[in-house]
Amino acid sequence: MATTTLRTKVLNLAILDYLALGPQHGYALRKRLNLSLGVFRTLSYGSLYPALRRLEDSGYIVSHEDPNSTRSKRRRITYSITDKGRQYLDNELSSVGPGDWEDGTFDVRFAMFSSTDSATRLRILEGRFARMLERREALQQWMEGIARDPDGYILELANHGLAQVAAELEWLETMIQNERRHVVNSKRRAGS
Protein backbone atom coordinates (compact mmCIF):
# COMPACT_ATOMS: atom_id res chain seq x y z
CA MET A 1 0.00 0.00 0.00
CA ALA A 2 1.43 3.39 -0.92
CA THR A 3 1.88 6.08 1.66
CA THR A 4 -1.24 6.37 3.73
CA THR A 5 -2.28 8.75 6.41
CA LEU A 6 -2.60 7.41 9.91
CA ARG A 7 -6.36 7.81 9.78
CA THR A 8 -6.55 5.81 6.52
CA LYS A 9 -4.28 3.12 7.94
CA VAL A 10 -6.45 2.70 11.02
CA LEU A 11 -9.62 2.55 8.92
CA ASN A 12 -7.99 -0.12 6.75
CA LEU A 13 -7.10 -2.13 9.86
CA ALA A 14 -10.63 -1.86 11.24
CA ILE A 15 -12.12 -3.04 7.93
CA LEU A 16 -9.67 -5.93 7.64
CA ASP A 17 -10.25 -6.88 11.28
CA TYR A 18 -13.99 -7.26 10.66
CA LEU A 19 -13.51 -9.03 7.34
CA ALA A 20 -11.24 -11.50 9.14
CA LEU A 21 -14.42 -12.69 10.90
CA GLY A 22 -15.97 -13.57 7.54
CA PRO A 23 -17.23 -12.06 4.26
CA GLN A 24 -19.51 -9.05 4.55
CA HIS A 25 -21.49 -6.63 2.40
CA GLY A 26 -20.55 -2.97 2.49
CA TYR A 27 -23.75 -2.06 4.32
CA ALA A 28 -23.19 -4.70 7.02
CA LEU A 29 -19.54 -3.72 7.31
CA ARG A 30 -20.40 -0.04 7.76
CA LYS A 31 -23.09 -0.89 10.31
CA ARG A 32 -20.70 -3.09 12.27
CA LEU A 33 -17.90 -0.51 12.21
CA ASN A 34 -20.29 2.23 13.32
CA LEU A 35 -21.56 0.07 16.18
CA SER A 36 -18.09 -0.52 17.54
CA LEU A 37 -16.55 2.84 16.67
CA GLY A 38 -19.62 5.07 16.46
CA VAL A 39 -19.11 6.56 19.89
CA PHE A 40 -15.85 8.00 18.59
CA ARG A 41 -16.57 8.50 14.89
CA THR A 42 -19.17 7.81 12.26
CA LEU A 43 -18.09 6.05 9.10
CA SER A 44 -19.79 7.30 5.95
CA TYR A 45 -20.15 5.41 2.70
CA GLY A 46 -17.97 8.15 1.20
CA SER A 47 -15.12 6.92 3.42
CA LEU A 48 -15.91 3.20 3.38
CA TYR A 49 -16.13 2.47 -0.35
CA PRO A 50 -12.91 4.28 -1.35
CA ALA A 51 -11.17 2.38 1.48
CA LEU A 52 -12.59 -0.91 0.18
CA ARG A 53 -11.34 -0.06 -3.33
CA ARG A 54 -7.85 0.76 -1.99
CA LEU A 55 -7.76 -2.50 -0.04
CA GLU A 56 -8.88 -4.44 -3.10
CA ASP A 57 -6.33 -2.67 -5.32
CA SER A 58 -3.65 -3.66 -2.80
CA GLY A 59 -4.76 -7.29 -2.92
CA TYR A 60 -5.86 -7.35 0.74
CA ILE A 61 -9.52 -8.04 -0.04
CA VAL A 62 -11.56 -9.39 -2.93
CA SER A 63 -15.09 -8.50 -3.91
CA HIS A 64 -17.68 -10.60 -5.63
CA GLU A 65 -21.31 -10.15 -6.51
CA ASP A 66 -23.64 -11.82 -4.06
CA PRO A 67 -25.70 -14.42 -5.99
CA ASN A 68 -28.53 -13.91 -3.49
CA SER A 69 -28.96 -10.25 -4.43
CA THR A 70 -31.36 -10.88 -7.31
CA ARG A 71 -34.31 -9.52 -5.30
CA SER A 72 -33.25 -5.92 -5.77
CA LYS A 73 -32.21 -3.95 -8.82
CA ARG A 74 -28.95 -3.08 -7.10
CA ARG A 75 -26.35 -5.76 -7.01
CA ARG A 76 -24.85 -6.49 -3.60
CA ILE A 77 -21.13 -6.91 -3.36
CA THR A 78 -19.57 -9.14 -0.73
CA TYR A 79 -16.02 -8.44 0.47
CA SER A 80 -13.60 -11.05 1.79
CA ILE A 81 -10.10 -10.79 3.20
CA THR A 82 -7.29 -12.49 1.28
CA ASP A 83 -4.29 -14.33 2.68
CA LYS A 84 -2.22 -11.25 1.84
CA GLY A 85 -4.75 -9.15 3.77
CA ARG A 86 -4.55 -11.47 6.80
CA GLN A 87 -0.77 -11.26 6.78
CA TYR A 88 -0.89 -7.47 6.52
CA LEU A 89 -3.46 -7.30 9.35
CA ASP A 90 -1.41 -9.58 11.60
CA ASN A 91 1.76 -7.56 10.94
CA GLU A 92 0.03 -4.24 11.59
CA LEU A 93 -1.77 -5.41 14.72
CA SER A 94 1.54 -6.55 16.21
CA SER A 95 3.33 -3.29 15.40
CA VAL A 96 3.17 -0.15 17.49
CA GLY A 97 4.03 3.45 16.76
CA PRO A 98 3.43 6.84 18.35
CA GLY A 99 0.34 7.38 16.23
CA ASP A 100 -1.35 4.41 17.90
CA TRP A 101 -1.95 6.33 21.11
CA GLU A 102 -3.09 9.60 19.59
CA ASP A 103 -6.72 10.75 19.87
CA GLY A 104 -7.68 9.87 16.32
CA THR A 105 -6.36 6.30 16.40
CA PHE A 106 -6.21 5.03 19.98
CA ASP A 107 -9.93 4.32 20.15
CA VAL A 108 -9.85 2.28 16.95
CA ARG A 109 -6.77 0.31 18.01
CA PHE A 110 -8.40 -0.29 21.40
CA ALA A 111 -11.55 -1.58 19.68
CA MET A 112 -9.31 -4.19 17.99
CA PHE A 113 -7.58 -5.30 21.21
CA SER A 114 -9.23 -8.73 21.13
CA SER A 115 -7.29 -9.36 17.89
CA THR A 116 -4.05 -7.90 19.28
CA ASP A 117 -1.42 -9.74 21.29
CA SER A 118 -0.96 -8.84 24.94
CA ALA A 119 2.51 -7.30 24.61
CA THR A 120 1.31 -4.97 21.84
CA ARG A 121 -1.79 -4.01 23.84
CA LEU A 122 0.45 -3.13 26.78
CA ARG A 123 2.76 -0.97 24.63
CA ILE A 124 -0.23 0.92 23.22
CA LEU A 125 -1.75 1.47 26.67
CA GLU A 126 1.59 2.65 28.09
CA GLY A 127 2.06 4.98 25.11
CA ARG A 128 -1.41 6.43 25.62
CA PHE A 129 -0.69 6.85 29.34
CA ALA A 130 2.51 8.79 28.56
CA ARG A 131 0.59 10.96 26.05
CA MET A 132 -2.06 11.74 28.68
CA LEU A 133 0.63 12.70 31.23
CA GLU A 134 2.02 15.14 28.64
CA ARG A 135 -1.46 16.51 28.06
CA ARG A 136 -2.06 16.96 31.80
CA GLU A 137 1.20 18.89 32.15
CA ALA A 138 0.33 21.10 29.18
CA LEU A 139 -3.12 21.81 30.63
CA GLN A 140 -1.65 22.65 34.03
CA GLN A 141 0.80 25.08 32.42
CA TRP A 142 -2.02 26.60 30.42
CA MET A 143 -4.07 27.02 33.59
CA GLU A 144 -1.18 28.82 35.29
CA GLY A 145 -1.07 31.24 32.37
CA ILE A 146 -4.81 31.94 32.43
CA ALA A 147 -5.27 31.94 36.22
CA ARG A 148 -5.39 35.73 36.27
CA ASP A 149 -7.68 35.95 33.22
CA PRO A 150 -11.03 37.50 34.15
CA ASP A 151 -12.83 35.12 31.77
CA GLY A 152 -14.01 32.35 34.07
CA TYR A 153 -15.22 30.24 31.15
CA ILE A 154 -11.70 29.70 29.88
CA LEU A 155 -10.66 28.53 33.33
CA GLU A 156 -13.67 26.19 33.45
CA LEU A 157 -12.70 24.79 30.07
CA ALA A 158 -9.21 24.07 31.39
CA ASN A 159 -10.68 22.44 34.52
CA HIS A 160 -12.94 20.33 32.34
CA GLY A 161 -9.95 19.24 30.25
CA LEU A 162 -8.00 18.32 33.38
CA ALA A 163 -10.91 16.29 34.73
CA GLN A 164 -11.16 14.35 31.46
CA VAL A 165 -7.42 13.65 31.42
CA ALA A 166 -7.47 12.60 35.09
CA ALA A 167 -10.33 10.16 34.42
CA GLU A 168 -8.54 8.68 31.43
CA LEU A 169 -5.28 8.35 33.36
CA GLU A 170 -7.10 6.47 36.13
CA TRP A 171 -8.76 4.17 33.59
CA LEU A 172 -5.47 3.59 31.77
CA GLU A 173 -3.71 2.70 35.03
CA THR A 174 -6.32 0.00 35.64
CA MET A 175 -6.07 -1.30 32.08
CA ILE A 176 -2.25 -1.38 32.26
CA GLN A 177 -2.29 -3.26 35.56
CA ASN A 178 -4.75 -5.80 34.15
CA GLU A 179 -2.70 -6.22 30.98
CA ARG A 180 0.54 -6.67 32.94
CA ARG A 181 -1.14 -9.41 35.00
CA HIS A 182 -2.29 -11.04 31.80
CA VAL A 183 1.27 -10.96 30.36
CA VAL A 184 2.71 -12.46 33.57
CA ASN A 185 0.04 -15.18 33.71
CA SER A 186 0.60 -16.02 30.02
CA LYS A 187 4.34 -16.39 30.62
CA ARG A 188 3.68 -18.64 33.61
CA ARG A 189 1.35 -20.86 31.60
CA ALA A 190 3.85 -21.03 28.74
CA GLY A 191 6.65 -21.96 31.16
CA SER A 192 4.74 -24.77 32.87
Side-chain angles (χ1 to χ4, degrees):
M1 205 173 296
T3 58
T4 57
T5 66
L6 191 55
R7 184 180 176 119
T8 300
K9 178 181 172 182
V10 171
L11 175 58
N12 291 343
L13 290 178
I15 291 169
L16 290 172
D17 192 50
Y18 279 114
L19 289 178
L21 300 173
Q24 298 194 29
H25 299 106
Y27 173 79
L29 187 58
R30 179 179 175 261
K31 184 176 177 181
R32 200 157 182 176
L33 287 166
N34 279 336
L35 280 175
S36 65
L37 308 174
V39 173
F40 308 106
R41 65 181 74 195
T42 301
L43 180 64
S44 69
Y45 289 115
S47 298
L48 176 63
Y49 285 107
L52 290 169
R53 276 193 295 282
R54 283 191 304 273
L55 289 168
E56 190 166 23
D57 290 346
S58 298
Y60 297 145
I61 64 172
V62 292
S63 64
H64 49 277
E65 190 170 340
D66 186 343
N68 299 323
S69 66
T70 57
R71 292 181 297 182
S72 69
K73 293 180 182 180
R74 252 187 123 182
R75 58 188 192 123
R76 289 180 77 181
I77 305 296
T78 300
Y79 299 91
S80 304
I81 191 168
T82 63
D83 289 340
K84 182 179 178 183
R86 285 183 197 283
Q87 183 178 18
Y88 173 77
L89 177 64
D90 290 344
N91 289 340
E92 290 299 316
L93 287 178
S94 65
S95 67
V96 179
D100 293 322
W101 43 80
E102 295 299 334
D103 289 343
T105 56
F106 173 75
D107 51 355
V108 179
R109 284 300 301 258
F110 189 84
M112 293 186 289
F113 266 20
S114 62
S115 303
T116 306
D117 66 89
S118 205
T120 302
R121 290 191 302 257
L122 186 57
R123 288 195 311 266
I124 292 171
L125 290 167
E126 289 171 340
R128 181 64 176 183
F129 188 80
R131 179 66 73 235
M132 290 297 99
L133 288 175
E134 290 171 1
R135 185 168 296 162
R136 182 178 67 187
E137 184 178 328
L139 280 167
Q140 288 169 337
Q141 289 176 357
W142 182 47
M143 285 183 74
E144 289 172 12
I146 61 170
R148 291 180 276 306
D149 192 320
D151 188 343
Y153 291 107
I154 293 174
L155 190 56
E156 281 305 312
L157 181 62
N159 282 324
H160 175 67
L162 272 175
Q164 286 179 314
V165 168
E168 185 164 346
L169 283 168
E170 184 178 329
W171 173 76
L172 285 165
E173 279 184 301
T174 302
M175 294 300 301
I176 289 168
Q177 288 171 1
N178 292 342
E179 205 59 50
R180 285 182 180 151
R181 276 194 294 275
H182 182 74
V183 169
V184 167
N185 291 337
S186 295
K187 287 180 181 178
R188 282 185 189 147
R189 282 191 297 271
S192 17

